[in-house]
Amino acid sequence: MYIIDSKTIVTPQNGLNVYKGRTENSIISMEPEINDIGVKPGADGLLAMTLKKRKSKGMILAGNVADPYNDLEKEYGLMRKCLKWIGFYDFGVVITTRRKLLLRDIDLIKEINSKTKAVVEIPFPSIEADKLRLIDGGGLGERLELLDELSKEKIPFVINIYPLIPNVNDVPIVLKSMLGVLKQYKPHAIDLGGARLPLVKKQMDFFYKEYMKRFPDEYNKYMDVHGRSKEIIIDSEIELRDEVRRAATSVGALWSPPEILNWKRKYENKQMGEQMTFEF
């Protein structure tokens, strides 16, 4: 762990990352070392100043670089402090996490969602515990508990069915079975993402090394057909999208990636003129 003396906290695209680094052992990463996490202790103060100056409201996107509910959050509580300011200034929030520590802040998330919009994105590339662990290092039970609680609390959430790894989690009949379970939690959206995943040089080297180590048989099968390239190719893309579309529409969920993206980024103000109240 190391300290980051950051001068800014929100990107031009409204990204908010109070931590930096690879917090989960994902097969796709640009960070070679896991758990070498940077912490921005002044993140909440910077966020408060930033949001106060904003002339228009919007959606704050938390966790697109590092999971904001990694183990260090138990000690620092930065995400909870930031959620208070997001709510105080009437901004909305999209949080990407695999961790049920988010449920600690469900009171703030519910309050934000009652007046603007709070969305939780949960990566869910597999429902097979061993595969899930090898794809992104997370636990199955923890994610299912998170889905269950969010559904009970009526917080909208998106299930992200990616990354797709050839011959591992891209089999249509297996995805269909998985979606049969996940759709029962009533997600607001099921996102397959891009079935063709481009990789920059650093990602590419790491991915193929880990692909060979974690899934040797699947790796050899893929290499025999496609070889090493700057793009991961999923041959069953059409069938996979059809399965996602059918599962999502059966429970009234969004499934088109552009439509999901537009919905997540669209700010809502459900109670014009009312100031939210948070205790600091």
Side-chain angles (χ1 to χ4, degrees):
M1 188 273 287
Y2 59 96
I3 299 297
I4 300 174
D5 183 17
S6 183
K7 304 301 181 185
T8 60
I9 196 62
V10 180
T11 69
Q13 295 76 35
N14 274 7
L16 169 68
N17 286 283
V18 296
Y19 302 98
K20 179 182 179 182
R22 188 157 68 100
T23 58
E24 303 291 344
N25 191 19
S26 174
I27 195 172
I28 296 178
S29 177
M30 293 183 67
E31 301 287 343
E33 299 297 330
I34 189 170
N35 293 331
D36 187 18
I37 309 303
V39 182
K40 303 175 183 178
D44 55 315
L46 284 172
L47 181 63
M49 289 189 293
T50 300
L51 299 186
K52 183 178 181 180
K53 296 176 182 177
R54 289 286 179 92
K55 295 181 179 179
S56 60
K57 310 298 182 183
M59 299 296 293
I60 301 299
L61 313 176
N64 61 326
V65 173
D67 196 317
Y69 287 101
N70 64 78
D71 290 339
L72 289 174
E73 173 63 14
K74 297 175 185 177
E75 175 184 354
Y76 286 91
L78 291 173
M79 192 60 206
R80 183 170 181 84
K81 294 174 183 176
C82 286
L83 283 173
K84 290 181 179 181
W85 287 118
I86 289 170
F88 182 80
Y89 286 110
D90 290 333
F91 280 75
V93 68
V94 179
I95 306 169
T96 302
T97 186
R98 306 161 175 79
R99 309 295 294 273
K100 68 178 182 180
L101 180 58
L102 172 137
L103 299 176
R104 177 201 66 188
D105 299 337
I106 200 69
D107 57 331
L108 300 179
I109 294 169
K110 286 174 64 177
E111 183 71 10
I112 291 170
N113 190 58
S114 71
K115 297 188 177 182
T116 58
K117 183 165 69 179
V119 180
V120 179
E121 286 197 88
I122 306 162
F124 226 116
S126 178
I127 204 166
E128 298 175 63
D130 289 343
K131 283 185 178 180
L132 183 63
R133 177 179 55 81
L134 289 170
I135 292 171
D136 79 353
L140 175 61
E142 185 168 15
R143 258 173 270 211
L144 289 174
E145 183 178 343
L146 187 55
L147 295 183
D148 188 46
E149 291 300 319
L150 291 171
S151 181
K152 289 177 181 176
E153 297 290 354
K154 295 181 170 49
I155 301 298
F157 61 91
V158 180
I159 295 175
N160 291 334
I161 312 292
Y162 54 80
L164 291 172
I165 311 301
N167 308 315
V168 175
N169 63 337
D170 66 338
V171 181
I173 192 170
V174 175
L175 179 65
K176 181 178 180 180
S177 177
M178 171 177 161
L179 291 170
V181 175
L182 296 181
K183 71 181 185 180
Q184 297 179 50
Y185 292 94
K186 297 187 174 16
H188 192 92
I190 303 175
D191 193 354
L192 188 66
R196 287 177 174 262
L197 179 61
L199 300 169
V200 299
K201 179 66 166 60
K202 196 173 182 180
Q203 279 180 312
M204 185 172 70
D205 292 341
F206 179 83
F207 169 73
Y208 284 110
K209 176 185 174 183
E210 292 299 315
Y211 189 12
M212 181 173 61
K213 182 169 69 175
R214 302 183 195 198
F215 303 103
D217 293 339
E218 293 84 352
Y219 169 83
N220 289 328
K221 183 179 177 181
Y222 179 77
M223 295 301 287
D224 286 343
V225 177
H226 296 289
R228 180 180 169 121
S229 69
K230 295 180 180 179
E231 185 177 57
I232 301 171
I233 300 170
I234 302 298
D235 294 324
S236 54
E237 175 183 357
I238 295 176
E239 295 93 329
L240 294 175
R241 292 205 182 280
D242 283 344
E243 293 296 348
V244 169
R245 175 181 54 78
R246 280 192 286 266
T249 54
S250 71
V251 292
L254 303 176
W255 61 271
S256 167
E259 190 174 3
I260 295 170
L261 180 62
N262 288 337
W263 171 74
K264 288 189 301 185
R265 296 293 182 95
K266 184 179 179 181
Y267 173 76
E268 298 177 13
N269 191 333
K270 299 173 184 177
Q271 296 190 19
M272 292 291 291
E274 292 191 15
Q275 176 66 48
M276 301 180 77
T277 58
F278 288 85
E279 295 183 3
F280 290 93

